[in-house]
């Protein structure tokens, strides 16, 4: 499963229909939204504050400069608008996070954020856009729609379908995009990050497919009850309230950030193009890339090697990244922020929402000569910090007074067991993210799916960053190829000599 911007997906021309949530009878309800006493999670609150207040100068007009996530995939059935509307309505009614919003007001101390909820039912209704003659036109339309999403304006998730249309006389024949079959259509959705994380995107693909197939067959199913992210937020606030300045989690974060002058660590290679003229004070747009680096069979080879030493595939990939960075930078230690899920309660295993914590990872390979030694060192480093995910970092920042934004982030997801993941390739499924702007952030998203392992990235859009990020990922591929070979004796492979393999 790749994770890219919408522009990187080959959208076809066709008839576009938007699917927009609405509250039933909302025109006649004077008090559509009421106050919900349940608090926002620390992450949700920080996101709304950072986006709506601290970064408001970056907004264009009344737009909130947040971020959106989504997915695109082929639905391999005929397009039945009535059935699809019922399926999407069922999906949104299943997850309470789609039926709440956030309101900003002011008191004597400044801006205040409050959760708002509704007792009205949500219904997803279609809105015809019309036939768009090129994939480029479709892209521009959808991008405008998704970029307008905001954590402070409901709805927080919108969808669109693209169905086959008769050839258009004025179509741009140079727009070489795939066509849609007669018995299928494309579905695309975007959601504000406040109501969705990466795992939620993956869950949504199979859930929507299943609900629609059931509606078409005339046997609609009632989804199993799932936990609500709104309830999770209460638990998150309780965990945050337990933190204090002498708590181990707070002290660990303080020590980690102090090494960079109370900043998050950056990418291990330069990402600033100091030779380029500075022509603007605006944060530059970021570039991105995505590629498949290992087949399913190669990933299985590495997993067997890691398991034989008592470690996981996640540890093997992070060890390979540490080895690659050391071979290029000459530094023994790699440091980064690592997102980890907080779905520790089984009630939330199938929930849509933002269930993510972040942990500070520091892998010191000093003295590690073989891949197995690097694996052991990395495993110990991750195990030592993994429990910190349950403690919300925005609360840590509040206690310490540190105002810092992650600069080098590495995410790993094993998505092989997400429902319906075996069909993702056949459906042409891809997860999506909105554009980002930063002159020093580097994000790597590593996903293991039934097809293999993919690596997606975003980084500063300049020559230096592009060259160094690509060099690091190329070296990462080379390191991963070593244990993927069945003939290799891993205890004798010198990790410090991987430059020869890359």
């Amino acid at each position: 499963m790749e994770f890219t911007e919408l522009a990187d997906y080959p959208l076809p021309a066709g008839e576009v229909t938007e699917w927009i949530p609405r509250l039933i009878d909302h025109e006649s309800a004077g008090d559509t939204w009421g106050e919900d006493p349940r608090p926002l999670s620390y992450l949700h609150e920080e996101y709304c504050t950072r986006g709506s207040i601290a970064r408001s100068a970056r907004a264009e007009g009344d737009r909130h400069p947040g971020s959106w996530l989504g997915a695109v995939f082929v639905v391999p059935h005929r397009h039945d608008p009535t059935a699809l509307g019922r399926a999407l309505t069922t999906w949104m009614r299943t997850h309470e996070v789609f039926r709440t919003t956030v309101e900003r007001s002011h008191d004597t101390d400044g801006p205040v954020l409050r959760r708002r909820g509704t007792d009205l039912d949500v219904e997803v209704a279609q809105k015809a856009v019309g036939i768009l003659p090129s994939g480029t036109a479709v892209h521009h339309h959808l991008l405008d729609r998704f970029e307008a999403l905001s954590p402070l304006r409901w709805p927080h998730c919108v969808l669109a379908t693209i169905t086959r249309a008769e050839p258009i006389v004025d179509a741009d024949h140079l727009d070489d995009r795939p066509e849609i079959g007669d018995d299928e259509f494309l579905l695309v959705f975007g959601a504000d990050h406040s109501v969705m994380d990466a795992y939620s995107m993956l869950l949504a693909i199979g859930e929507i497919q299943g609900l629609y197939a059931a509606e078409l067959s005339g046997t609609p199913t009632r989804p199993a009850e799932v936990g609500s992210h709104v309830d999770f937020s209460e638990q998150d606030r309780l965990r945050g309230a337990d933190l204090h300045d002498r708590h181990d989690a707070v002290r660990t974060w303080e020590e980690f950030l102090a090494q960079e002058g109370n900043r998050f660590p950056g990418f291990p290679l330069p990402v600033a193009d100091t030779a380029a003229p500075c022509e603007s004070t605006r944060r530059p747009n970021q570039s991105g890339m995505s590629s498949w680096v290992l087949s399913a069979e190669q990933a299985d080879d590495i997993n067997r090697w890691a398991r034989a030493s008592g470690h996981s595939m996640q540890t093997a990939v992070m060890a390979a990244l540490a080895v690659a960075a050391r071979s290029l930078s000459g530094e023994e230690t790699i440091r980064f922020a690592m997102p980890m899920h907080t779905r520790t309660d089984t009630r939330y295993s199938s929930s849509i929402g933002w269930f993510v914590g972040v942990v500070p990872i520091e892998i010191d390979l000093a003295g590690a000569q073989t891949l197995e030694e690097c694996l052991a060192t990395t495993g110990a480093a991750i195990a030592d910090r993994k429990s910190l995910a349950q403690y919300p970092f925005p609360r840590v920042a509040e206690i310490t007074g540190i105002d810092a934004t992650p600069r080098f982030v590495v995410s790993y997801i094993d998505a092989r067991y997400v429902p319906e993941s075996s069909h993702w390739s056949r459906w042409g499924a891809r997860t999506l993210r909105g554009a980002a702007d930063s002159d020093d952030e580097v994000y790597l998203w590593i996903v293991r799916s039934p097809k293999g392992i993919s690596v997606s990235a975003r980084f500063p859009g300049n020559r230096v960053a592009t060259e160094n990020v690509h060099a690091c990922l190329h070296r990462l591929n080379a390191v991963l190829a070593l244990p993927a070979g069945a003939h290799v004796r891993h205890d004798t492979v010198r990790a410090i000599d991987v430059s020869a393999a890359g």
Side-chain angles (χ1 to χ4, degrees), residues 5 14 21-22 26 48 61 111 115 120 125 174 212 292 315 325 359 395 398 417 476 483 490 500:
E5 293 187 32
R22 65 182 182 184
H26 71 281
C48 289
R115 186 188 298 279
L120 300 180
L174 297 179
Y212 181 61
W292 290 92
T315 299
V359 299
R395 173 60 176 154
E398 181 182 276
Y417 305 109
L476 170 65
H490 312 300

Side-chain angles (χ1 to χ4, degrees), residues 87 89-95 207 211 220-226:
T89 294
T90 299
W91 180 57
M92 288 208 165
R93 289 181 179 179
T94 300
H95 303 285
E207 192 173 3
L211 290 170
T221 58
R222 182 180 179 84
E225 187 172 339
V226 299

Side-chain angles (χ1 to χ4, degrees), residues 354-498:
W354 200 354
F355 300 88
V356 175
V358 63
V359 299
I361 298 296
E362 182 171 339
I363 304 171
D364 184 355
L365 296 183
Q369 300 296 310
T370 68
L371 290 181
E372 286 194 340
E373 290 171 345
C374 294
L375 185 68
T377 299
T378 302
I382 295 175
D384 183 56
R385 301 290 174 80
K386 195 171 185 178
S387 64
L388 298 186
Q390 66 181 308
Y391 300 110
F393 176 75
R395 173 60 176 154
V396 173
E398 181 182 276
I399 293 171
T400 61
I402 295 174
D403 182 13
T405 300
R407 294 189 296 153
F408 181 32
V409 178
V410 185
S411 169
Y412 178 89
I413 295 179
D414 187 345
R416 292 172 300 156
Y417 305 109
V418 175
E420 308 302 326
S421 61
S422 61
H423 300 295
W424 287 344
S425 292
R426 180 167 63 89
W427 294 337
R430 182 177 297 183
T431 49
L432 304 171
R433 57 181 173 82
D437 55 6
S438 171
D439 58 4
D440 63 355
E441 293 175 7
V442 175
Y443 277 62
L444 304 180
W445 295 279
I446 303 168
V447 180
R448 186 182 183 189
S449 68
K451 182 178 176 180
I453 291 183
S454 65
V455 178
S456 304
R458 70 169 173 88
F459 46 86
N462 63 60
R463 177 188 57 82
V464 173
T466 300
E467 290 178 356
N468 283 332
V469 171
H470 278 80
C472 185
L473 295 182
H474 179 70
R475 189 62 53 84
L476 170 65
N477 295 357
V479 178
L480 287 172
L482 295 175
H487 63 282
V488 175
R489 286 187 59 198
H490 312 300
D491 60 333
T492 62
V493 174
R494 286 173 52 84
I496 58 174
D497 293 334
V498 295

Side-chain angles (χ1 to χ4, degrees), residues 100-122:
T100 65
T101 190
V102 176
E103 178 182 83
R104 184 178 66 173
S105 59
H106 290 77
D107 63 14
T108 55
D109 295 325
V112 177
L113 297 170
R114 292 185 175 89
R115 186 188 298 279
R116 307 285 282 177
T118 180
D119 292 328
L120 300 180
D121 278 335
V122 172

Side-chain angles (χ1 to χ4, degrees), residues 126-376:
Q126 60 178 316
K127 176 185 177 182
V129 175
I131 297 175
L132 299 184
S134 68
T136 301
V138 173
H139 166 260
H140 287 317
H141 177 84
L142 295 179
L143 193 61
D144 284 345
R145 198 71 181 88
F146 296 156
E147 287 187 340
L149 292 167
S150 165
L152 304 178
R153 184 172 54 252
W154 193 85
H156 303 301
C157 178
V158 297
L159 308 94
T161 53
I162 308 168
T163 55
R164 182 180 177 88
E166 293 301 318
I168 308 167
V169 175
D170 296 329
D172 181 359
H173 298 293
L174 297 179
D175 190 6
D176 187 18
R177 302 294 179 100
E179 293 186 356
I180 305 171
D182 291 326
D183 294 321
E184 64 182 18
F185 61 94
L186 202 67
L187 190 146
V188 193
F189 72 81
D192 185 77
H193 202 340
S194 61
V195 300
M196 189 169 289
D197 58 16
Y199 195 73
S200 297
M201 293 186 288
L202 301 173
L203 288 170
I205 297 170
E207 192 173 3
I208 292 172
Q209 293 272 22
L211 290 170
Y212 181 61
E215 289 287 350
L216 276 184
S217 68
T219 57
T221 58
R222 182 180 179 84
E225 187 172 339
V226 299
S228 168
H229 183 268
V230 184
D231 292 332
F232 166 84
S233 299
E234 284 192 299
Q235 301 166 21
D236 182 74
R237 300 301 293 204
L238 292 174
R239 282 190 293 270
D242 288 338
L243 294 177
H244 49 79
D245 59 3
R246 297 178 306 280
H247 194 283
D248 286 345
V250 175
R251 288 185 170 183
T252 299
W253 272 111
E254 280 187 308
E255 293 169 1
F256 181 77
L257 298 175
Q259 296 182 56
E260 300 282 343
N262 286 339
R263 302 176 71 204
F264 276 87
F267 190 66
L269 299 173
V271 295
D273 189 353
T274 56
C278 182
E279 300 177 353
S280 173
T281 58
R282 295 186 61 184
R283 285 156 53 103
N285 291 335
Q286 291 217 304
S287 296
M289 59 80 62
S290 182
S291 65
W292 290 92
V293 299
L294 291 175
S295 67
E297 293 75 16
Q298 291 172 318
D300 288 342
D301 283 346
I302 298 174
N303 190 61
R304 279 190 292 270
W305 165 63
R307 292 293 181 189
S309 300
H311 297 287
S312 67
M313 184 70 182
Q314 179 191 66
T315 299
V317 172
M318 296 303 155
L321 178 62
V323 171
R326 178 171 72 171
S327 71
L328 292 170
S329 69
E331 298 293 331
E332 297 286 357
T333 302
I334 183 173
R335 305 170 69 249
F336 54 87
M338 187 173 185
M340 290 188 173
H341 78 82
T342 53
R343 299 169 185 261
T344 53
D345 189 324
T346 55
R347 289 180 298 167
Y348 306 123
S349 59
S350 298
S351 301
I352 301 296
W354 200 354
F355 300 88
V356 175
V358 63
V359 299
I361 298 296
E362 182 171 339
I363 304 171
D364 184 355
L365 296 183
Q369 300 296 310
T370 68
L371 290 181
E372 286 194 340
E373 290 171 345
C374 294
L375 185 68

